[in-house]
């Protein structure tokens, strides 16, 4: 009601002002015409609702930028020096360029150029441009200001800006790049744009900071890098997405020299050649391009050659520099250098051992004389020998060591470096925050300026002095004095998410604040003069804390989190005691206490997105639902039991935020120019509805609005809080993810929210809103980086400006509104002076902290581990641990009782045994539980069955896995590599590792063979036809000759002979005449001859010399892609068949070796029998196959092998234990590779085979088929070399097996005695000689068989040498065929194109001829 009365009173005052005399109105309009909102809603006679008067925007100079506490550390090349001593630097911060002196005064010595456009400036500029046509010189849009209230340099007064500035009114969304002129008298600033006009590049004088020129239309959205040439005459700029334009400017004439598209992806740097201003180099994501300014017949052109990575891996290029030879050295994202010679990579530079030059991307590369300096993400600065890098080398990789290296820190990421006044002195920008002064020569590192890194998530100010605390994603908690522009304290923790300063009821000193962090940890601090004291560290949540709010009474504190809970803490005497939590039901984005501390107001949902983002709801069914405010009514904490859990019940009430009539109307959100066309009055509210006053946004605000989504149903709440006046609630509502932002005042009526006042405060979405301490000013941070202030609750004056390059995360005000502080996601924090600034109201924080008494609390222990339980988890775990402890105690008591009962039972049983037989109780009576044994047996059997099932599943799983591996790697092998070893030498022959032909290849081979068969049939049919015709002709001739012969008639008279001769002469005459009749006419051609000649001309062809100029390849000899493909397939088949044929010979030789080993085993049995008869013991030659000779058995193990292996492992473990190595050595030994285990198992198998007794007959070992076709050994064979387990053949030739010798050793029972007769002794001697002879024969047979086998193996080995040479030639032929096939395919494409063109031209000719004939007809 009070708010309504104030609004009505102001409306009456505004109406009286509008009814003033025309002269007064005209005089008033001369001062406020440019700042009044033409699109505001005017009062009407029919409107029953109170109407808010027109809101007037304050002058741009009302709120001025005082200081910047941030630095965009993650931006590349965001640091340039402004003097030769490198004491003053320039860097971009949001929509400003900061000029900071690092030596004189640190933070205090700071000037800036603000590139923001306030809505008042934009409206004034647009009006001036409309009246003058852009030709007149107006007040400059960018006015340099002094950070400390100083004045510009009197020696160089600013000159008037060029006329183009009058036409450059636009919305600046940040600074994209800066560059300093080589003379240090000028610098260039490239802006970021988001409006309809492209952002310009602005030139400023230094040190006066006066505007010196504007370079328009160089990019569509912004600039990523600027660079002056060595002489300073030219300026190169690279645009960001979407155009990526490379532009070369004559900046003094403000003209474009050359322009082209640099690349299709992000370009991060461009640089002129230090020796040739006509050459440039640009680099970025996945590319580097070398540009030349070439003069062509059409004029000067910018020609670029993109670098070819070739055999080297494609990489992003961030830093590069030109070597003295003209080559370019660049770093890559893998930490090595690429040396570019022209457009190709000459070599890659690494450190010894294959180590990269840096562990991570190389950001910067500089060349100083004969030294290359590099800096990377690993925090190292290394110096390299440039002469060694440029030395000629035939290798692709150059390995060198750095001359020296210096590490700035473990968490330092080098993003920019500028050279100092002395050699080896540099100023380094850390991507994780901070500026370092580095002396590479002296190996010294000094922190010149500590700066934040990453977005600022939380910020608040003290109510007692000018202290400000911030926390960001880098985890640093910083305390500043924003009046003194000084950084007081820095402490690092986990990533911060929110921050809240304690109200006076909690700490009257105003030196206590609390922070929330991404790991769910809550921390409370006390800021003393010397340090930050940690008062408390608790973990109430499992996910990031989003909100922290103290209750108005100062006794409670509430924290909201992404985990959907709100936790309450009791606050008393700098101590924070956990009370409990409630389930909120969503991500808490806003939290506020009721003035009486009895209720909490919550808002849910994601925060508004950044400017330019497109948000599409996941669940379209929830689009039209209105946001909800939740009010939680707390109970008396003394009555709640939280011993088992911190979760407590709560009374919850949900309020749906209603829409006003202006929102429910189907009108799109006003665009940049829609506000001026908005209706001048609002529709009257419906009867019975709560009275509302809806004010349209001003034209200046609408001019900065972003394009809106067509769907206005995605409403969200940015902030909601109670007013001190009971029953009023202020809510900042975004009508869509991009805006506009509306501030609504509600009152609770009949358990629903009644809209009392609704003010569209901005065209962009609201990210944060709050009131000043006295609740007379509304502060709103917006998603487009701007912020605005309104007088509350009148909403008659406002101020809006953009300074951040991203959404504003927090905005706070000094208790007396002397300062306004903003922080944003761009990592910057700005302080502004307001018209209410009064130095007398500013309290010196250092003096204040020295005077107050610090709290009696002690430093609390911090939570440093991310695995620490939250309070609820710890409570639950404590309860679970207590229950487990009680259960264990009960188990221990029960076990003790069972032990006591068992002792009593045994004692009774012992006494029972002493009784007489008839006094004893039957044994069945002693059974306590008759079913116990049966149950135990059943349970034991069930466990055994379960174990068997588990093992069966595991076994089958392993078998399936092994089978899959075999199918993947072995099924496609036709022949594995099998080595056959010789017996008596080191010679060996191996098969070719041959893969099976694929199904596609087999199909191609079959198609080629079918085509060849068809061609052969066609060739055979033509000669058959010719042969038939010749046979027919020959038969005709034979018939004619046979007809002319007469039969022999014998006559004895002369008359008969004479008559016979006459008849013969007559017949010959007749035959001649008949032959004459068949003589062809010279004038007539024989049809058969004509056909023969025609066929010969057609088929036989012409055979001119190939060197003849008119030589034409016959059709049947011409080659095409199909014929070449056929040759390639046939050659592939031939190579396969050659290898397979040779493999079959090797496999046959292996089968022969297996058979020979079988023979030798049988002969060894015979020798053993003979030795038994002779009483001799000797070692026999027992050859065997090695593992590589039978690779198909590599994965076959018998149960005996596994048992032997396990036994050996157990013995080794026991031996280690005895030696004192213990379990530690045993665990280390278990880490052997599978290959070592397999070798051990193979050795176990060999030992087993060697230790097994020889049978009377050797096992039959045969080979059948080829590898891959069920090639198996019929019996297991020991896999070992004969030379390792038995003597060699050379040593065995000297043994009794291979040469006659007397008995080596006679058994004890076989001695020469005189008991036997001479005849018996002679008979034994004869038998011994016979046995020795048989042994010699066996030895000779073995030698002969082995020698023959080795000779055949050597012959096959030599044949393989010749075959390998032929196959190598075949491989070269295959490569040649492939190249020829590629060429023929290209030729066919050209032929097809030409044929199509010829056909089209012929059709055109036919059409023209037809038209000509029609005309003639």
């Amino acid at each position: 009601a009070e708010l309504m009365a104030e609004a009505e009173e102001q409306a009456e005052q505004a109406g009286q002002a509008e009814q003033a005399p025309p002269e007064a109105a005209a005089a008033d309009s001369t001062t406020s015409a440019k700042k009044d909102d033409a699109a505001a809603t005017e009062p009407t006679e029919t409107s029953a609702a109170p109407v808010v008067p027109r809101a007037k925007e304050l002058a741009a100079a009302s709120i001025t930028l005082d200081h910047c506490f941030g630095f965009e550390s993650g931006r590349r090349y965001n640091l340039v020096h402004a003097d030769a001593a490198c004491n003053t630097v320039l860097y971009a911060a949001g929509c400003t360029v900061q000029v900071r002196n690092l030596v004189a005064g640190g933070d205090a010595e700071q000037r800036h150029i603000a590139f923001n456009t306030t809505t008042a400036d934009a409206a004034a500029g647009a009006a001036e441009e409309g009246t003058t046509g852009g030709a007149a010189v107006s007040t400059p849009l960018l006015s340099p200001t002094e950070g400390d209230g100083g004045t510009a340099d009197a020696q160089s007064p600013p000159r008037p800006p060029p006329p183009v500035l009058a036409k450059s009114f636009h919305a600046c969304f940040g600074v994209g790049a800066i560059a300093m002129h080589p003379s240090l008298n000028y610098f260039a600033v490239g802006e970021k744009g988001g409006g309809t006009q492209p952002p310009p590049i602005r030139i400023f004088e230094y040190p006066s900071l006066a505007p010196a020129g504007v370079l328009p239309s160089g990019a569509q959205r912004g600039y990523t890098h600027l660079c002056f040439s060595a002489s300073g005459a030219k300026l190169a700029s690279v645009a960001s997405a979407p155009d990526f334009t490379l532009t070369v400017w004559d900046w003094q004439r403000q003209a474009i020299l050359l322009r082209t598209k640099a690349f299709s992806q992000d370009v991060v740097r461009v640089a002129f050649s230090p020796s040739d201003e006509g050459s440039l180099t640009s680099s970025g994501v996945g590319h580097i391009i070398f540009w030349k300014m070439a003069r062509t017949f059409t004029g000067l052109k910018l020609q670029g050659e993109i670098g070819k990575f070739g055999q080297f891996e494609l990489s992003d290029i961030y830093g590069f520099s030109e070597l003295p030879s003209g080559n370019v050295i660049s770093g890559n994202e893998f930490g090595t250098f690429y040396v570019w010679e022209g457009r190709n990579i000459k070599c890659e530079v690494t450190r010894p051992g294959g180590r990269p030059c840096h562990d991570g991307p190389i950001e910067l590369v500089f060349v100083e004389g004969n030294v290359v300096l590099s800096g990377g993400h690993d925090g190292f600065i290394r110096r390299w020998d440039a002469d060694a890098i440029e030395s000629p080398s035939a290798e692709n990789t150059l390995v060198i060591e750095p001359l020296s290296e210096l590490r700035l820190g473990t968490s330092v990421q080098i993003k920019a470096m500028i050279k100092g006044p002395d050699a080896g002195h540099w100023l380094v920008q850390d991507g994780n925050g901070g500026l370092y002064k580095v002396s590479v020569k002296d190996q010294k590192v000094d922190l010149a300026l500590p700066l934040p890194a990453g977005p600022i998530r939380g910020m608040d100010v003290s109510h007692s002095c000018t202290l400000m605390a911030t926390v960001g994603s880098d985890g640093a908690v910083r305390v500043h004095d924003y009046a003194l522009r000084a950084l007081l304290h820095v402490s690092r923790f986990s990533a911060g998410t929110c921050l809240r300063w304690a109200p006076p009821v909690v700490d009257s000193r105003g030196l206590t604040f609390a922070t929330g962090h991404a790991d769910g940890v809550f921390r409370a601090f006390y800021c003393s003069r010397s340090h930050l004291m940690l008062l408390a560290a608790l973990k109430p949540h499992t996910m990031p804390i989003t909100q922290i709010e103290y209750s108005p009474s100062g006794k409670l504190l509430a924290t909201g989190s992404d985990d959907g809970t709100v936790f309450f803490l009791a606050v008393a005497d700098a101590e924070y005691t956990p009370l409990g939590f409630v389930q909120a039901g969503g991500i808490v984005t806003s939290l506020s206490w009721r003035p009486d501390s009895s209720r909490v107001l919550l808002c849910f949902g994601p925060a508004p997105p950044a400017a330019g983002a497109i948000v599409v709801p996941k669940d379209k069914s929830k689009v039209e639902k209105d946001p909800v405010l939740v009010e939680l009514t707390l109970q008396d904490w003394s009555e709640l039991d939280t011993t088992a859990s911190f979760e407590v019940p709560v009374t919850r009430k949900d309020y749906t935020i209603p829409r006003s009539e202006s929102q429910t109307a189907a009108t799109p959100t006003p665009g940049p120019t829609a506000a001026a066309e908005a209706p001048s009055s609002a529709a009257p509210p419906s009867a019975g509805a709560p009275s509302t006053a809806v004010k349209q946004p001003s034209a200046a605000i609408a001019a900065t609005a972003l394009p809106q989504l067509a769907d206005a149903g995605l409403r969200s709440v940015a902030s909601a809080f109670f007013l001190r006046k009971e029953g009023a609630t202020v809510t900042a509502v975004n009508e869509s993810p991009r805006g506009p932002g509306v501030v609504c005042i509600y009152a609770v009526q009949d358990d629903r929210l009644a809209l009392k006042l609704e003010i569209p405060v901005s065209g962009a979405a609201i990210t944060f809103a709050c009131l000043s301490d006295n609740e007379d000013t509304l502060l709103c941070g917006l998603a487009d980086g701007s912020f605005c202030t309104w007088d509350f609750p009148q909403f008659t004056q406002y101020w809006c400006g953009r300074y951040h390059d991203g959404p504003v995360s927090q905005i706070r005000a000094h208790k007396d509104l002397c300062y306004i502080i903003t922080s944003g996601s761009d990592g910057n924090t700005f302080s502004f002076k307001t018209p209410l600034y009064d130095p007398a109201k500013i309290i010196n924080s250092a003096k204040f902290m020295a005077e107050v008494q610090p709290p009696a609390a002690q430093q609390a222990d911090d939570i440093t581990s991310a695995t620490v339980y939250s309070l609820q988890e710890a409570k639950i775990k404590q309860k679970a641990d207590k229950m487990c402890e009680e259960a264990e105690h009960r188990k221990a008591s029960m076990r003790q009782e069972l032990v006591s009962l068992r002792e009593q039972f045994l004692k009774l049983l012992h006494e029972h045994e002493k009784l007489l037989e008839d006094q004893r109780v039957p044994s069945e009576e002693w059974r306590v539980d008759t079913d116990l044994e049966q149950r135990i047996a059943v349970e034991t059997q069930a466990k055994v069955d379960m174990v068997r099932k588990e093992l069966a599943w595991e076994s089958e799983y392993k078998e399936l896995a092994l089978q899959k591996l075999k199918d993947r790697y072995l099924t496609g092998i036709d022949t594995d590599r099998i080595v056959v070893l010789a017996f008596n030498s080191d010679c060996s022959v191996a098969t070719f590792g041959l893969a099976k032909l694929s199904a596609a290849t087999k199909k191609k081979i079959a198609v080629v063979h079918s085509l060849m068969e068809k061609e052969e049939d066609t060739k055979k049919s033509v000669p058959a036809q010719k042969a038939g015709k010749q046979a027919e002709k020959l038969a005709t001739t034979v018939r004619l000759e046979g007809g002319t012969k007469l039969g022999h008639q014998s006559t004895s008279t002369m008359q008969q002979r004479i008559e016979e001769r006459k008849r013969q002469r007559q017949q010959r005459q007749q035959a001649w005449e008949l032959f004459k009749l068949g003589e062809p006419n010279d004038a007539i051609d024989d049809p058969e001859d004509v056909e023969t000649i025609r066929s010969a001309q057609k088929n036989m062809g012409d055979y001119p010399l190939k060197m003849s100029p008119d030589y034409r390849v016959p059709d049947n000899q011409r080659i095409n892609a199909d014929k070449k493909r056929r040759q390639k397939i046939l050659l592939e088949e031939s190579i396969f068949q050659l290898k397979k044929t040779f493999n079959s010979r090797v496999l046959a030789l292996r089968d022969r070796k297996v058979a020979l080993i079988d023979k030798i085993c049988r002969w060894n049995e015979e020798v053993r029998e003979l030795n038994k008869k002779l009483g001799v013991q000797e070692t026999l030659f027992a050859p065997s196959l090695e593992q590589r000779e039978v690779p198909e058995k590599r994965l076959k193990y018998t149960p005996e092998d596994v048992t032997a292996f396990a036994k050996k492992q157990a013995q080794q473990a026991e031996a280690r234990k005895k030696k004192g190595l213990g379990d530690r050595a045993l665990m280390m030994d278990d880490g052997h590779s599978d290959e070592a285990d397999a070798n051990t198992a193979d050795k176990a198998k060999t030992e087993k085979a060697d230790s097994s007794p020889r049978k009377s007959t050797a096992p039959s070992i045969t080979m059948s088929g080829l590898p891959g076709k069920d090639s198996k050994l019929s019996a297991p064979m020991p896999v070992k070399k004969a030379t390792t387990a038995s003597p060699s053949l050379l040593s065995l030739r000297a043994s009794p097996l291979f040469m006659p010798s007397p008995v080596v050793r006679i058994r004890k029972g076989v001695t020469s005695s005189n008991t036997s007769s001479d005849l018996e002794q002679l008979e034994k001697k004869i038998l011994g000689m016979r046995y020795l002879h048989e042994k010699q024969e066996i030895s000779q047979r073995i030698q002969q068989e082995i020698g023959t086998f080795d000779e055949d193996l050597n012959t096959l080995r030599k044949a393989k040498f010749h075959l390998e040479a032929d196959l190598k030639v075949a491989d070269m032929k295959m490569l040649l065929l492939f190249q020829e096939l590629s060429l023929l395919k290209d030729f066919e494409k050209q032929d097809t194109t030409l044929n199509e063109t010829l056909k089209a031209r012929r059709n055109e000719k036919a059409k023209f001829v037809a038209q000509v004939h029609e005309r003639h007809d």
Side-chain angles (χ1 to χ4, degrees), residues 680-694:
S680 59
S681 61
S686 59
S691 58
T692 60
V694 180

Side-chain angles (χ1 to χ4, degrees), residues 524-536:
F525 299 92
Y526 177 81
C527 180
S528 66
R529 187 175 182 180
S530 59
H531 68 287
L532 272 180
M533 184 173 67
L534 182 64
L535 298 178

Side-chain angles (χ1 to χ4, degrees), residues 197-402:
Q197 296 183 3
I201 298 175
R202 301 188 182 274
I203 309 297
F204 295 90
E205 293 181 353
Y206 185 82
S208 65
L209 306 184
V214 177
L215 308 179
S217 303
Q220 294 183 20
R221 291 288 183 182
Y223 300 89
T224 59
H225 195 255
L226 303 177
C227 179
F228 282 97
S229 61
S231 65
K234 298 182 181 66
L235 174 68
S237 65
V238 176
S240 60
D243 52 322
F244 304 111
T245 303
L246 171 61
T247 308
V248 180
W249 306 80
D250 184 347
W251 66 273
Q252 293 175 335
R253 295 192 298 111
Q254 302 181 15
I256 295 177
L257 297 179
L258 295 170
R259 173 186 288 179
T260 186
K261 185 179 179 66
F263 201 62
S264 58
Q265 297 188 60
D266 291 340
V267 183
V268 300
R269 189 187 178 208
V270 64
F272 285 93
S273 171
S275 58
D276 182 12
E277 291 190 0
S279 300
L280 299 94
T281 305
S282 64
S283 67
V285 176
H287 76 280
I288 182 171
I289 303 179
F290 307 96
W291 303 90
K292 291 284 186 182
M293 298 182 190
R295 189 170 298 278
T296 64
F297 66 93
T298 59
L300 194 64
K301 299 291 183 183
L302 195 59
Q303 298 176 349
E305 290 186 345
I306 187 169
K308 293 184 176 180
F309 289 85
Q311 63 180 343
F312 299 95
E313 192 167 356
L314 185 70
S315 170
D316 300 340
I317 304 296
Y318 303 130
F320 59 84
S321 186
E322 185 175 327
L323 295 167
S325 63
N327 295 338
V328 174
I329 180 172
S330 68
N332 56 39
E333 59 181 310
F334 312 114
T336 61
F337 292 117
Y338 288 154
V339 180
W340 300 86
E341 190 173 25
R343 62 187 300 183
N344 299 315
I345 295 179
K346 176 184 176 182
C347 64
E348 182 181 16
V349 182
T350 63
R351 288 188 291 171
R355 296 177 300 160
C357 299
H358 287 269
D359 296 330
I362 297 177
E363 288 283 350
L364 301 161
V365 180
F366 298 94
V367 177
E368 289 185 311
N370 60 346
V371 174
V372 176
L373 197 74
S374 63
H377 279 197
D378 56 357
F380 278 94
I381 298 177
R382 290 190 170 97
R383 299 172 65 251
W384 311 84
D385 188 356
D387 296 334
I389 293 175
E390 289 198 285
S391 61
S393 175
E395 301 294 333
N396 293 330
T397 302
L398 178 64
V399 179
I400 60 174
E401 282 280 5

Side-chain angles (χ1 to χ4, degrees), residues 776-799:
D776 60 354
T777 303
L778 176 67
L779 307 172
C780 295
L782 307 179
D784 62 353
S786 59
F787 72 96
C788 60
T789 64
W790 290 77
D791 58 332
F792 187 85
Q794 295 81 13
F795 294 97
T796 58
Q797 295 179 349
Y798 70 92
W799 185 94

